Amino acid sequence: MQLQHHPYSSLPSLPSRTVSLFLYISCLMAAIAQIDSRPKLTSVKALAERPGLSSIPSLYTFPRHPNEEVFSDTKESIPILDFSLLTSTDPHERSKAIQELAKACQDWGFFMVTNHGVPESMMKGITAACREFFELTEEEKAEFEGKHVLDPIRYGTSVNASIDKVLCWRDYLKVFQHPEFHSPNKPPSFREISLEYGKRVRKVARDILRGISESLGLEENYIEKALNLENGFQLLTANLYPPCPQPELAMGFLAHSDHGLLTLLIENEIRGLQVHHNGKWVNIDPIPNSFLANIGDHVEILSNGKYQSVLHRAVVNTRDVRISIAMQHAPAWDAVVSPASKLVGDEGNLPAFRAMEYKEYLELNQSSVLDRKSCLERVRNRVI
Ligand code: OGA
Ligand code: NI
């Protein structure tokens, strides 16, 4: 008589191995599912586009600092640097421009740059390419999600979303431009326009940094040589600030200073940048096609505190999508930055900051929650 086999027991040794393999895989999948079930960070763009969104999640709500009242009506004369005078062959024009640059750096740390020669079409082109990037699908953009400050292409939300306690109403794309050029492969126009725009803006930045060198009483090419700007780090940051139903509770970009030497920023026609000046926040209303320039922490270090990096932030609004493109110009990664020796020593001026490799500073900056100028404070020499 034939034995009736259970269909699954007809293969003598395989079943138990198959079952345990099956169990193992299901456990693994369950574990992965659990990791996946943690709330995923959505882009603010996706959040803002949710139908009927009328209030913002508490994760985006900032407590306000009562003393930081904003004013915009006061006629503050924001410094303007006429770039054509700074690069003029007429020594009188140039020295006048350098004096104005010195004053702008000392009083504000912020100024607008006009007559810089970068074509308007190029500024529009890069803004359009960045907008197209943010309009890719969430899945497409997710390919570019970077984790580390040294990843050459990094798409993300807020500022440092893994450690931020409150999230900023901002998505961003950061792309290294120099000394090695990188570009996302989407949208297709991005590579060509960012390469060209990056080169043109770098030239403007280097000329301004020559002016800054001279204005500090240093040789014209001091910064260039001491910080190896031939291999200088240039970083493009595209910021997207979607409309926000409760802009008074949210913040596009928290108060911070930029870590490099000089940032040149452009925006679409939508306002939102505020600069801290004499203890108050000033709304910036740019001259069309100008660059909004601000000096960063490394000018403060190099000048031994004579020029201070400026605190700035971005606010959001209920109606319009705001896009800004900040181009940061910084020392070469392996350049060791310290106060220029000519600016220390006399009049009892001690070096206010300790020497540090630029790359180390970048990593230090990334490892902590963005908090005004706290990163710079960590390299300040304490008077004992
Ligand atoms: C920045 C920045 C301000 C803005 O990208 O560092 O300060 O107006 N942006 O987007
Ligand atoms: Ni900034």
Side-chain angles (χ1 to χ4, degrees):
M1 186 189 141
Q2 277 241 261
L3 272 175
Q4 280 281 303
H5 282 293
H6 188 276
Y8 295 122
S9 57
S10 57
L11 299 168
S13 66
L14 219 58
S16 61
R17 277 169 62 194
T18 313
V19 168
S20 50
L21 193 65
F22 175 77
L23 278 175
Y24 174 74
I25 290 173
S26 8
C27 286
L28 201 67
M29 283 172 66
I32 291 171
Q34 207 174 14
I35 293 171
D36 259 355
S37 70
R38 282 183 318 203
K40 269 223 168 86
L41 278 172
T42 15
S43 69
V44 187
K45 181 173 181 292
L47 173 62
E49 286 171 359
R50 277 187 201 161
L53 185 81
S54 59
S55 62
I56 63 172
S58 56
L59 197 54
Y60 291 87
T61 307
F62 281 94
R64 287 284 159 167
H65 199 295
N67 297 330
E68 288 181 347
E69 130 211 15
V70 176
F71 70 98
S72 55
D73 301 332
T74 322
K75 292 278 169 284
E76 282 286 339
S77 46
I78 290 157
I80 298 168
L81 176 73
D82 183 337
F83 185 77
S84 66
L85 299 184
L86 185 72
T87 47
S88 165
T89 46
D90 175 342
H92 176 68
E93 274 186 351
R94 177 165 159 82
S95 85
K96 207 165 150 265
I98 292 203
Q99 276 172 27
E100 277 162 21
L101 179 59
K103 194 160 162 30
C105 288
Q106 210 149 13
D107 296 351
W108 282 77
F110 176 86
F111 48 92
M112 298 191 205
V113 184
T114 58
N115 299 323
H116 46 68
V118 179
E120 184 185 344
S121 59
M122 221 175 254
M123 296 166 103
K124 293 256 179 329
I126 187 73
T127 312
C130 291
R131 184 186 281 266
E132 275 178 55
F133 175 85
F134 289 117
E135 281 168 2
L136 296 174
T137 64
E138 295 300 309
E139 291 72 33
E140 283 173 306
K141 285 183 286 188
E143 267 180 57
F144 303 106
E145 260 171 38
K147 295 283 171 287
H148 191 265
V149 66
L150 302 182
D151 290 339
I153 300 178
R154 199 149 57 97
Y155 162 70
T157 194
S158 187
V159 176
N160 202 343
S162 58
I163 52 175
D164 291 340
K165 291 196 185 73
V166 180
L167 297 183
C168 286
W169 199 263
R170 162 202 188 225
D171 293 334
Y172 66 84
L173 170 70
K174 291 180 185 241
V175 188
F176 291 5
Q177 300 290 293
H178 193 263
E180 225 178 62
F181 172 78
H182 291 264
S183 170
N185 54 5
K186 294 175 209 165
S189 62
F190 202 97
R191 173 173 291 272
E192 198 184 325
I193 182 76
S194 62
L195 182 63
E196 203 47 45
Y197 180 73
K199 270 192 213 157
R200 297 292 295 259
V201 180
R202 189 156 68 244
K203 168 92 177 58
V204 173
R206 284 181 75 170
D207 282 339
I208 297 175
L209 286 167
R210 290 166 83 87
I212 290 182
S213 250
E214 208 174 320
S215 78
L216 285 165
L218 304 168
E219 273 173 37
E220 190 188 34
N221 57 3
Y222 179 88
I223 296 183
E224 215 159 277
K225 283 209 292 209
L227 307 183
N228 184 13
L229 294 196
E230 205 49 54
N231 294 309
F233 180 48
Q234 186 188 31
L235 173 69
L236 178 151
T237 305
N239 301 297
L240 178 86
Y241 306 100
C244 173
Q246 293 176 297
E248 67 291 352
L249 300 180
M251 188 53 85
F253 201 150
L254 276 183
H256 68 282
S257 58
D258 292 346
H259 41 72
L261 294 161
L262 182 72
T263 303
L264 295 176
L265 180 136
I266 57 172
E267 57 179 29
N268 61 349
E269 311 75 61
I270 310 305
R271 308 286 165 261
L273 177 65
Q274 296 182 336
V275 167
H276 204 239
H277 179 65
N278 287 343
K280 296 210 176 175
W281 289 105
V282 181
N283 287 319
I284 302 299
D285 195 6
I287 297 172
N289 302 319
S290 62
F291 284 115
L292 302 175
N294 67 266
I295 55 174
D297 293 347
H298 279 76
V299 165
E300 182 161 346
I301 296 173
L302 183 114
S303 70
N304 204 30
K306 183 163 185 205
Y307 295 165
Q308 293 178 2
S309 60
V310 66
L311 272 183
H312 55 287
R313 67 182 190 184
V315 294
V316 289
N317 73 81
T318 48
R319 285 208 340 254
D320 301 301
V321 175
R322 175 165 184 263
I323 293 183
S324 69
I325 295 140
M327 205 56 111
Q328 281 208 56
H329 301 85
W333 276 5
D334 59 359
V336 177
V337 191
S338 62
S341 51
K342 207 172 164 189
L343 303 176
V344 294
D346 51 335
E347 299 159 24
N349 258 347
L350 295 170
F353 302 97
R354 67 186 157 89
M356 189 183 237
E357 232 185 45
Y358 179 64
K359 187 172 163 209
E360 215 186 311
Y361 191 87
L362 264 181
E363 288 173 318
L364 185 69
N365 191 57
Q366 177 73 4
S367 64
S368 44
V369 173
L370 184 74
D371 180 20
R372 300 170 80 92
K373 287 172 73 167
S374 60
C375 189
L376 186 63
E377 286 315 309
R378 287 162 73 178
V379 300
R380 187 184 292 281
N381 282 331
R382 303 266 153 235
V383 184
I384 313 161

